[in-house]
Amino acid sequence: MAIKIYWGDVLRKLRLAHKLSQEDLAGVLHISRQTYSSIECGRSQPTAEELAILSEIYERDLYQYVIQHLPEDMVEEQRRFKITMPIPKKKGKREEDIKYF
């Protein structure tokens, strides 16, 4: 099931809080100002790459925003999966396992 997340409001608030223009962000994302504007207006969705860059710029974990907007049953399912997922054992590297170039 695909859930549509509306990024426009949060991205606009973050942009204004950091005193950036749409033109500034469009340049960093290598998209036109009109394309960035359509993301803020909700006419289009940002790509995963764009979200990663914005997350770095704003020093925010946008994952939390996504979780807040998912239906509760999906969040609960994700939590149950995380709890039951086995944690792999870490193996130490021996000197002979390290490859030198």
Side-chain angles (χ1 to χ4, degrees):
M1 168 199 300
I3 303 294
K4 190 165 188 167
I5 305 292
Y6 295 98
W7 291 98
D9 289 339
V10 72
L11 293 179
R12 182 177 172 278
K13 287 175 186 173
L14 287 168
R15 177 177 62 79
L16 293 174
H18 285 80
K19 298 183 169 105
L20 297 169
S21 70
Q22 288 183 344
E23 191 74 37
D24 294 334
L25 291 172
V28 171
L29 297 173
H30 302 289
I31 58 176
S32 69
R33 189 209 51 83
Q34 291 84 353
T35 300
Y36 185 82
S37 176
S38 67
I39 292 170
E40 279 193 8
C41 293
R43 290 188 301 269
S44 64
Q45 295 287 307
T47 65
E49 181 182 72
E50 291 164 351
L51 287 175
I53 292 168
L54 291 169
S55 182
E56 286 293 318
I57 290 170
Y58 296 134
E59 297 177 348
R60 292 281 177 94
D61 183 3
L62 295 178
Y63 170 77
Q64 292 302 320
Y65 176 77
V66 172
I67 290 297
Q68 290 171 358
H69 291 80
L70 288 177
E72 185 58 37
D73 60 333
M74 289 183 77
V75 174
E76 188 56 38
E77 182 180 345
Q78 183 262 351
R79 285 186 189 130
R80 280 195 311 272
F81 177 76
K82 191 173 180 180
I83 290 169
T84 61
M85 189 172 56
I87 299 171
K89 293 181 181 178
K90 292 184 180 178
K91 295 181 180 178
K93 291 203 179 256
R94 297 177 300 177
E95 176 124 2
E96 59 267 16
D97 292 338
I98 300 172
K99 296 188 178 174
Y100 296 95
F101 294 97

